Amino acid sequence: MMDSDLSPQDKKDLDKFIKFFALKTVQVIVQARLGEKVCTRSLSSPTGSDWFNLAIKDIPEVTHESKKALAGQLPGIERSMCVEISLKTSEGDSMELETWCLEMNEKCDRDIKVSYTVYNRMSLLLKSLLAITRVTPAYKLSRKQGHDYVILYRIYFGEVQLTGLGEGFQTVRVGVVGTPIGTITLSCAYRTNLAFMSTRQFERTAPIMGIIIDHFVERPFGNVGHMHPCIYRAPGEDEGAYNGVEDSQEVCTTSFSTSPPSQLYCSRLSYQSPVLDGAADFCHPSTLNAANPHQMGVPGKEGGVPQQVPVQPCHGAQAEHRRVSSCPPADHVPATPSSSGEDAETSSRSVGVKSGSPCGLLETTFTRKVGAFVNKPGTKVTTASLDLPFAAFAPRAYDLEENDPMVQPPESSATSSPLQGSLHSQGSGESGGPAQDDFVMVDFKPAFSKDDLLPMDLGTFYREFQNPPQLTSLTIDVSSQSMAEDLDALPEKLAVYEKNIDEFDAFVDTLQ
Amino acid sequence: MNCRSEALEVSVEGRQVDEAMLALLHTILLHRSTGKFHYKKEGTYSIGTVGTQDIDCDFIDFSFVRVSSDELDRAIRKAVGEFKDAMGNGMDGMGQISLEFYQKKKSRWPFSDECIPWEVWSIKVNVVNLANEQERQICREKVGEKLGEKVINIVEVINRHEYLPKMPTQSEVDNVFDTSLKDVQPYLYKITFQITDTLGSSVSTTMRRLIKDTLAL
């Protein structure tokens, strides 16, 4: 392709537009698969940092992954940028759901004005992307992700790979933007054959309830390597100016000119040197002249280096995989790793720990459980805790558990104070834990709450019962019936139904 | 200039009319709205930022994206509400709601400004009555899928990049854009509708409209 018709400035602008278009495209796609509704505010005055005049937040991790995939290159002819969305179940099965492709073909539009028309059309294309990402089947799946499965994304650069989408996948074209160096196309190929989902999804007979997933338990979603979870927790509730902008974020101005010859010109972009690229890249304002008024853009407000990578695992698990399927509520006190490690029997909801915990406020007087957070009987009390609040409740160092009437609670998990966790007595002799038990894992119960039927907290309860349970008739119990048996049972069933036909008719009448 | 005309058709249950219309109208307006223009000296202007938000439908298995502007949402809801009222409640019927984008052309006195449409979206709605809950559940999903197809159709048309009014100077901006909203700036638009009863006769409403339009000139 010849871009000799393109002025150097236009070429520079075009490259910048393409780069940021690619980054924003990835943001839109990933954010649409987070499982939550997205909401950004309209601003009547431009901030200078909203590319394409659209309020699309930048999740730093996603930007980082995109830039890593691009590795300094730009999407171009035979260099497509793809975002692959897949689903991974708690059993470890995974399935590609869709692949979004940002490609470029050789069809050039030499007459098009870069800094006006191309820019505006890219903005339009991003709006179309926002609309289309809610329409493909993966959107509904992503809104329901949680216990049974999670949605992951992967960004890659190069050749488009669609083989993982199964047979009969459909393609939807989001749109195209012609540029002087080629035509950018954005499309999505999505799986239509979700047969794997319909059989495997319903195999679980009961949701996991009452299990704290902590870093001593084998994570159900394992190590997913290069895949990334579509889950993001913003550092703060009110992002406001969204300070999570990377310091390499380049600003855009949104000034346009309406003068006749230069009506199609955008003002020059100003940008700060990107730290990651390491290149100083300054644009100086060109002199104003009547024919082509340019205007130096005002740098938008830039946040500093993002404070933290979002999606911090609750307990510092391996960095690659950051999905916590049922993260304990924030009120859990994080525990230090204890050497009892993997043999944590985490079926109990909470752990009461003997004293010595610096978190005296929530301490209970019991030692629980094999494995994590277990304390050796009788060795733990660090009387340094004497100056802790509620130190009076701390059992003495030499009290034996057997003698402590509180240690052997009744079978019911009635709490004796609002601040105590539910109590479970397990073989305290098998502690094997470390000598010190500085941190406890306590299940905080709101005051006056009762452990009625299910010992779980509100957050877990809500997550569990947010969606209706799967119908038992849809669960396929592999071990029991086969098709032949089903067919054999049919005549009997039919006979029964025929016998009760009057009842059914009456029922149907009530529905009319 | 030829006005581009696009037609969409959906069949919905009575209680789905509002959401179906909102979904389609907002999807179109998302693409036909920009940020607020701020004109400066030397004929340059800057453009504000358009925010978006996800809306989940209650009666349809569908979610859509709209511009984050309560004012715009209110205006659309008002029009859709009027359309729904005109359709009547619980009755089978057909109606058509049209979203027309136009430009104003100043005319000399005594003639008033001309409104020249450049894009018209017509959404035909068939309202059906369903007998029982099971059918309603199926309808929820089916209408959701249909709306998804319509969104894809809308996006396809928009991305043909056909005629768009050129960016106006400050003095002309009100002839192209609706500048009355404080956070976003859609192209000038109007929403009209016509109802046909089950017999399909709409002659009277069409005639009425023709006469009204002629007299307005």
Side-chain angles (χ1 to χ4, degrees):
Chain A
M1 95 222 66
M2 283 189 297
D3 52 5
S4 53
D5 297 342
L6 214 54
S7 72
Q9 188 55 56
D10 273 349
K11 177 76 173 71
K12 214 171 178 182
D13 286 346
L14 184 59
D15 286 346
K16 196 145 296 300
F17 293 165
I18 292 175
K19 175 184 164 190
F20 280 94
F21 179 72
L23 295 177
K24 289 295 183 182
T25 295
V26 178
Q27 289 286 349
V28 168
I29 294 167
V30 173
Q31 288 175 27
R33 300 288 175 261
L34 289 178
E36 289 158 5
K37 295 206 290 193
V38 175
C39 179
T40 55
R41 279 188 329 182
S42 299
L43 297 168
S44 69
S45 301
T47 60
S49 58
D50 290 325
W51 274 91
F52 308 106
N53 309 120
L54 282 175
I56 299 172
K57 286 185 181 163
D58 286 321
I59 298 178
E61 176 193 270
V62 175
T63 304
H64 175 70
E65 289 302 323
S66 310
K67 287 186 168 174
K68 211 165 75 172
L70 287 173
Q73 291 186 296
L74 287 177
I77 296 169
E78 290 176 15
R79 289 197 318 265
S80 308
M81 193 182 78
C82 300
V83 182
E84 184 187 282
I85 301 289
S86 58
L87 177 150
K88 190 175 171 94
T89 65
S90 50
E91 278 98 27
D93 296 310
S94 70
M95 178 167 70
E96 269 173 51
L97 296 177
E98 51 187 22
T99 299
W100 298 83
C101 310
L102 179 60
E103 302 171 277
M104 188 182 274
N105 66 38
E106 288 166 349
K107 188 171 160 207
C108 303
D109 185 345
R110 298 197 201 287
D111 298 328
I112 202 168
K113 294 292 179 273
V114 168
S115 47
Y116 172 77
T117 310
V118 172
Y119 188 85
N120 284 336
R121 287 188 181 175
M122 284 178 170
S123 175
L124 206 56
L125 189 47
L126 282 172
K127 289 175 181 170
S128 299
L129 182 63
L130 281 162
I132 299 280
T133 41
R134 274 66 178 170
V135 153
T136 52
Y139 180 71
K140 287 195 192 130
L141 288 171
S142 67
R143 290 289 298 269
K144 294 182 186 156
Q145 65 183 302
H147 263 289
D148 294 331
Y149 60 88
V150 289
I151 303 292
L152 307 171
Y153 73 94
R154 176 173 83 97
I155 308 169
Y156 63 90
F157 195 70
E159 239 183 79
V160 179
Q161 298 151 23
L162 298 178
T163 48
L165 294 173
E167 276 180 20
F169 65 85
Q170 300 266 19
T171 309
V172 59
R173 194 168 80 161
V174 183
V176 299
V177 175
T179 78
I181 61 172
T183 298
I184 295 170
T185 64
L186 185 53
S187 60
C188 172
Y190 59 92
R191 168 185 283 273
T192 51
N193 177 14
L194 293 171
F196 154 74
M197 281 294 303
S198 56
T199 54
R200 295 301 296 271
Q201 182 182 6
F202 304 111
E203 264 180 13
R204 294 165 64 93
T205 49
I208 300 172
M209 294 197 300
I211 292 186
I212 300 170
I213 310 263
D214 62 24
H215 63 312
F216 296 126
V217 175
E218 168 79 357
R219 287 195 180 276
F221 294 102
N223 184 350
V224 292
H226 53 273
M227 303 291 292
H228 304 277
C230 286
I231 178 163
Y232 171 65
R233 293 198 182 90
E237 184 61 26
D238 297 310
E239 272 310 304
Y242 201 80
N243 289 324
V245 172
E246 289 185 345
D247 56 5
S248 62
Q249 173 92 9
E250 301 177 25
V251 296
C252 67
T253 60
T254 51
S255 283
F256 295 83
S257 168
T258 56
S259 312
S262 58
Q263 180 162 3
L264 309 166
Y265 260 98
C266 177
S267 20
R268 291 297 157 234
L269 303 175
S270 78
Y271 39 85
Q272 300 174 1
S273 54
V275 169
L276 290 182
D277 295 347
D281 206 2
F282 266 116
C283 169
H284 295 279
S286 34
T287 42
L288 288 174
N289 61 54
N292 293 321
H294 299 315
Q295 183 168 336
M296 187 64 178
V298 175
K301 50 186 185 236
E302 293 272 87
V305 177
Q307 295 308 306
Q308 66 181 67
V309 177
V311 195
Q312 282 294 9
C314 292
H315 305 287
Q318 61 269 49
E320 276 177 14
H321 173 63
R322 301 200 208 101
R323 170 68 177 147
V324 178
S325 64
S326 104
C327 186
D331 48 39
H332 279 273
V333 178
T336 51
S338 92
S339 59
S340 47
E342 261 70 10
D343 49 282
E345 302 282 323
T346 50
S347 56
S348 66
R349 270 302 288 157
S350 69
V351 183
V353 188
K354 269 211 191 289
S355 71
S357 156
C359 311
L361 283 171
L362 298 178
E363 72 177 8
T364 64
T365 55
F366 303 90
T367 302
R368 265 342 34 114
K369 157 142 87 127
V370 180
F373 320 126
V374 168
N375 311 289
K376 286 207 179 97
T379 57
K380 32 261 108 22
V381 176
T382 55
T383 44
S385 63
L386 279 180
D387 53 0
L388 289 171
F390 307 118
F393 293 116
R396 304 288 172 268
Y398 309 110
D399 273 352
L400 293 176
E401 281 184 289
E402 293 79 13
N403 294 337
D404 189 344
M406 301 285 276
V407 172
Q408 315 292 344
E411 280 311 300
S412 75
S413 52
T415 59
S416 55
S417 95
L419 290 181
Q420 283 182 340
S422 60
L423 317 167
H424 297 268
S425 169
Q426 310 237 347
S428 53
E430 292 187 300
S431 57
Q436 74 282 8
D437 55 327
D438 294 326
F439 294 96
V440 309
M441 191 85 151
V442 177
D443 183 26
F444 179 72
K445 294 275 185 214
F448 312 117
S449 78
K450 280 197 291 188
D451 262 354
D452 285 329
L453 304 164
L454 306 163
M456 61 165 63
D457 68 11
L458 185 61
T460 317
F461 172 84
Y462 184 75
R463 275 194 291 278
E464 290 299 328
F465 294 103
Q466 190 174 24
N467 295 317
Q470 302 301 343
L471 295 176
T472 49
S473 56
L474 289 176
T475 57
I476 297 174
D477 193 350
V478 179
S479 60
S480 64
Q481 292 178 317
S482 70
M483 174 78 108
E485 287 174 1
D486 274 343
L487 286 173
D488 289 340
L490 261 177
E492 294 165 14
K493 288 191 185 161
L494 282 173
V496 169
Y497 297 149
E498 268 185 47
K499 218 168 53 155
N500 296 331
I501 203 166
D502 292 329
E503 243 181 76
F504 289 122
D505 281 342
F507 175 66
V508 167
D509 285 336
T510 64
L511 291 177
Q512 298 287 357
Chain B
M1 155 209 3
N2 290 325
C3 170
R4 188 166 60 240
S5 181
E6 306 296 336
L8 305 164
E9 190 166 343
V10 284
S11 294
V12 296
E13 206 201 345
R15 63 185 184 166
Q16 296 171 323
V17 170
D18 281 311
E19 288 177 338
M21 294 303 101
L22 283 172
L24 297 180
L25 293 173
H26 270 302
T27 299
I28 298 167
L29 278 162
L30 169 68
H31 292 85
R32 292 289 181 243
S33 301
T34 73
K36 295 285 291 180
F37 282 17
H38 298 277
Y39 287 91
K40 302 172 207 174
K41 296 179 222 173
E42 296 122 16
T44 59
Y45 62 97
S46 60
I47 307 183
T49 301
V50 172
T52 57
Q53 61 186 97
D54 281 318
I55 304 291
D56 289 336
C57 297
D58 292 325
F59 299 112
I60 312 175
D61 255 351
F62 190 66
S63 300
F64 62 95
V65 178
R66 70 163 170 88
V67 169
S68 285
S69 166
D70 290 338
E71 277 180 277
L72 183 63
D73 187 42
R74 273 198 294 273
I76 305 301
R77 280 180 187 274
K78 184 161 173 265
V80 169
E82 286 168 8
F83 172 67
K84 172 102 187 280
D85 291 340
M87 291 280 281
N89 290 321
M91 307 274 290
D92 288 356
M94 277 194 347
Q96 180 172 291
I97 194 166
S98 297
L99 172 59
E100 180 185 300
F101 293 101
Y102 65 95
Q103 272 180 270
K104 272 200 258 188
K105 190 171 160 193
K106 294 261 187 265
S107 301
R108 291 176 201 265
W109 184 87
F111 300 106
S112 58
D113 292 341
E114 243 184 295
C115 293
I116 305 174
W118 52 270
E119 188 175 79
V120 177
W121 297 84
S122 305
I123 307 173
K124 269 208 196 86
V125 185
N126 301 316
V127 180
V128 295
N129 253 333
L130 297 174
N132 59 49
E133 204 51 45
Q134 192 186 6
E135 281 182 30
R136 283 195 195 105
Q137 184 58 36
I138 295 173
C139 190
R140 263 185 83 96
E141 292 163 13
K142 281 265 177 308
V143 171
E145 284 169 17
K146 273 288 166 211
L147 286 179
E149 287 171 27
K150 299 304 156 194
V151 165
I152 293 175
N153 291 346
I154 290 169
V155 160
E156 198 184 355
V157 168
I158 299 235
N159 274 274
R160 283 187 211 147
H161 299 305
E162 290 168 346
Y163 173 81
L164 273 183
K166 68 173 195 251
M167 285 297 136
T169 56
Q170 188 167 13
S171 53
E172 299 272 302
V173 71
D174 290 313
N175 294 341
V176 175
F177 288 101
D178 178 353
T179 52
S180 64
L181 305 173
K182 64 178 192 304
D183 43 13
V184 294
Q185 192 173 283
Y187 281 100
L188 280 172
Y189 71 92
K190 64 169 107 129
I191 298 180
T192 54
F193 56 85
Q194 62 190 74
I195 309 297
T196 57
D197 58 26
T198 44
L199 295 174
S201 63
S202 63
V203 176
S204 58
T205 41
T206 314
M207 282 310 300
R208 225 180 291 142
R209 230 183 114 213
L210 270 172
I211 293 167
K212 226 170 94 178
D213 283 349
T214 317
L215 289 174
L217 284 172

